[in-house]
Structures are given as C-alpha cells and as structure tokens.
C-alpha cells in the first residue's frame, strides 16, 4: 500500500467516525497517530463476528 493509498483509506475511516487522526512531529519528522474510536471498535467487533459466522456457522458468538 502506498502512502497516498493509505491516506485515502484513513480519510474514509475518519469520515465514518471509526478513527481519529492526529498529525504531529517527533523532532523534525512528521508523525501521524491513529486512534480507534468507540464507534470504530464496535464496528470492528460486529464485522469480525459476522466473519466468524460465515466461516463457522455452527459456532456460537
């Protein structure tokens, strides 16, 4: 994945309220910090539960 490609994906996640993006510097080097929001955590948990159901319909969540 290129930096530009990653930037587009992160913007979409940020627009959906799934992550918070903070741009800063560590010394003279730019740094981007990404934090998963509560909404993002819930969406991820729902997504992984759906995948588990698809992969093993007999398993209980």
């Amino acid at each position: 994945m290129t930096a530009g490609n990653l930037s587009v994906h992160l913007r979409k996640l940020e627009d959906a309220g799934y992550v918070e993006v903070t741009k800063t510097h560590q010394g003279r080097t730019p740094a981007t910090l990404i934090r998963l929001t509560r909404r993002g955590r819930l969406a991820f948990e729902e997504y992984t539960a759906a995948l588990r159901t698809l992969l093993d319909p007999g398993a209980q969540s």
Side-chain angles (χ1 to χ4, degrees):
M1 177 173 283
T2 66
N5 201 347
L6 177 59
S7 176
V8 170
H9 285 285
L10 287 173
R11 174 67 64 187
K12 290 181 184 285
L13 291 170
E14 185 178 28
D15 290 346
Y18 292 160
V19 298
E20 290 180 359
V21 178
T22 303
K23 295 192 180 262
T24 186
H25 285 82
Q26 293 180 346
R28 293 179 182 230
T29 306
T32 302
L33 306 173
I34 310 299
R35 186 180 80 77
L36 189 62
T37 63
R38 182 173 285 143
R39 180 177 179 177
R41 170 61 64 186
L42 178 60
F44 180 73
E45 289 172 358
E46 289 174 351
Y47 173 74
T48 55
L51 283 179
R52 283 189 195 101
T53 300
L54 287 171
L55 295 173
D56 188 4
Q60 292 182 352
S61 305

